[in-house]
Amino acid sequence: MFSMFVLWIAVFAGIFLRWRWTVGLVLVTLAWTVVLLRLHISSPIPLNF
């Protein structure tokens, strides 16, 4: 989870500093965020009512 936080800080820094490789970093960060959320958020309680 810390790596996701660091990657998003780098993305926001890239946006503000107008780095040209920011788009690639955004795509990598989004993919990594999805992977981490799928691994860490698994609730045995179904939330459909």
Side-chain angles (χ1 to χ4, degrees):
M1 290 300 222
F2 182 72
S3 61
M4 182 179 71
F5 179 71
V6 170
L7 282 173
W8 279 114
I9 288 177
V11 165
F12 286 116
I15 290 170
F16 289 122
L17 297 176
R18 297 177 190 236
W19 293 332
R20 60 185 176 104
W21 46 267
T22 304
V23 175
L25 183 63
V26 166
L27 295 176
V28 168
T29 305
L30 281 173
W32 185 240
T33 300
V34 169
V35 167
L36 284 179
L37 288 177
R38 286 187 185 253
L39 288 175
H40 288 287
I41 300 177
S42 59
S43 175
I45 302 170
L47 295 178
N48 51 357
F49 296 104

